[in-house]
Amino acid sequence: MTDNKYIAVTYKLCLIEDERLIPIEEATQENPFVFISGFGFTLNDFENNIVPLEKGEKFDFVLLPEQAYGIIDEDNIFELNRELFCIDGKFDEKNIFIDAIIPMRDENGQLFRARVDDITDDKVKLDFNHPLAGKTLNFIGSVLENRIATNAEIESFINAMSNDSCCGGCANAGEGCDMTENGCCKKDNGNGKGCCHNG
């Protein structure tokens, strides 16, 4: 059985597009990304690159779309009637605009997040692919902590995962969340999952 590791890292996350690095997220020394390995909380290939490293080691690795959030699936893009987004007969311009990330529920009550891709006179085009689907990711950072997790830390981590619908992975999980333009949780208060979380 693999030991569950308590891991804290700093990193800069960049998209690789046309041989350019485009920074989109940073986990700092003051607000590191913290997780316990073996729970599927992070992307598998992110975790596989980090777990073997020791405290103080640096990393610089690339995840292709297939290793990260997958390729763009056209079946996850839908056009819905514009009237579905009206309140008291008026279109909800405050919340429904190009590139907005909006919550949607299916008939079973399951929550999904969609990006508004286009708005026409009668339709709203929604993209349910992960905001980073189709993207190649470059993580550059260092390991602040990598040790066997205590039972108390594992219990706290599991509770945070089960009680928190948006942000988690740190001791203060669930205290608040803002979505960036990339659909990832901000780390403004040290509790964001960020773009390396799995889901």
Side-chain angles (χ1 to χ4, degrees), residues 129-140:
N129 288 291
H130 190 280
L132 295 178
K135 304 295 185 182
T136 298
L137 310 180
N138 184 198
F139 290 93
I140 305 168

Side-chain angles (χ1 to χ4, degrees), residues 165-183:
S165 62
C166 180
C167 295
C170 296
N172 297 320
E175 290 184 359
C177 181
D178 276 325
M179 302 301 282
T180 71
E181 66 272 15
N182 293 302

Side-chain angles (χ1 to χ4, degrees), residues 25-165:
E25 182 179 284
E26 183 173 8
T28 65
Q29 186 119 9
E30 295 73 27
N31 290 318
F33 178 69
V34 180
F35 68 97
I36 295 179
S37 66
F39 287 95
F41 180 76
T42 65
L43 294 168
N44 285 338
D45 282 278
F46 176 88
E47 187 167 308
N48 290 340
N49 275 279
I50 298 296
V51 168
L53 303 179
E54 296 182 0
K55 181 178 179 179
E57 283 196 73
K58 298 184 182 303
F59 56 84
D60 182 348
F61 59 87
V62 172
L63 299 185
L64 300 174
E66 295 82 358
Q67 298 170 302
Y69 293 99
I71 61 174
I72 294 174
D73 185 347
E74 295 297 330
D75 289 338
N76 289 332
I77 301 175
F78 300 88
E79 285 191 333
L80 302 179
N81 290 330
R82 184 183 171 112
E83 63 191 32
L84 293 173
F85 303 92
C86 291
I87 299 175
D88 297 328
K90 294 185 65 176
F91 184 72
D92 184 10
E93 294 180 349
K94 180 181 178 181
N95 296 301
I96 310 302
F97 52 89
I98 302 297
D99 288 333
I101 304 296
I102 61 174
M104 302 285 288
R105 291 190 184 276
D106 63 13
E107 61 273 11
N108 298 318
Q110 186 172 357
L111 180 66
F112 296 90
R113 287 184 175 85
R115 182 179 63 84
V116 179
D117 190 53
D118 192 22
I119 301 172
T120 65
D121 291 338
D122 59 347
K123 299 287 185 182
V124 174
K125 188 176 182 180
L126 298 180
D127 186 349
F128 285 86
N129 288 291
H130 190 280
L132 295 178
K135 304 295 185 182
T136 298
L137 310 180
N138 184 198
F139 290 93
I140 305 168
S142 61
V143 179
L144 301 180
E145 191 70 67
N146 188 344
R147 57 171 170 76
I148 302 299
T150 66
N151 288 336
E153 287 168 341
I154 292 173
E155 183 178 349
S156 176
F157 186 77
I158 292 173
N159 288 338
M161 288 178 66
S162 61
N163 293 333
D164 182 29
S165 62

